[in-house]
Amino acid sequence: MQIEITEVSHFQQLNEVCENAMIYESANPGNAIAPRSQLLDKMALYNDISPRLFSLNKDEQLQVGNQLVALFKARLKSWSRVTSSSTVKSRLTTC
């Protein structure tokens, strides 16, 4: 038997909670929506994009945030790049 433990970023943990809330009714994203939205808005501001998630209600933040992260994962091709962008260590880029 082999056990593997992988450490993930705080942003990825918040995102998993939010994604699961769209699938499972028993999942409660209440404590994850606001911090993830703040990180996404901070990422937008760092990349000269006007932040908007803060102006949405929680349900809208959950749905729009899930779509944004899915887009980032598709465009940036790896969680490490998404995480790096979410912590404003690098700008959004596909290169």
Side-chain angles (χ1 to χ4, degrees):
M1 175 187 241
Q2 184 177 10
I3 298 175
E4 182 178 328
I5 298 175
T6 305
E7 188 174 329
V8 296
S9 71
H10 180 64
F11 179 77
Q12 191 172 355
Q13 292 172 15
L14 293 171
N15 188 65
E16 289 298 321
V17 171
C18 291
E19 280 185 352
N20 287 339
M22 297 299 290
I23 300 168
Y24 305 109
E25 288 183 26
S26 61
N28 181 3
N31 293 331
I33 294 172
R36 184 185 69 168
S37 293
Q38 289 172 345
L39 288 169
L40 288 169
D41 276 346
K42 185 177 178 181
M43 180 192 316
L45 191 59
Y46 183 72
N47 286 279
D48 302 321
I49 301 168
S50 183
R52 297 276 187 229
L53 285 176
F54 71 90
S55 65
L56 304 175
N57 67 42
K58 282 191 173 188
D59 289 334
E60 292 169 333
Q61 286 182 23
L62 177 66
Q63 293 177 13
V64 172
N66 284 348
Q67 292 298 313
L68 280 172
V69 174
L71 175 66
F72 294 148
K73 287 190 310 189
R75 294 289 175 111
L76 299 176
K77 307 275 191 241
S78 74
W79 262 113
S80 63
R81 285 178 148 173
V82 174
T83 297
S84 182
S85 295
S86 73
T87 57
V88 294
K89 291 180 181 174
S90 66
R91 292 195 178 269
L92 292 172
T93 180
T94 56
C95 299

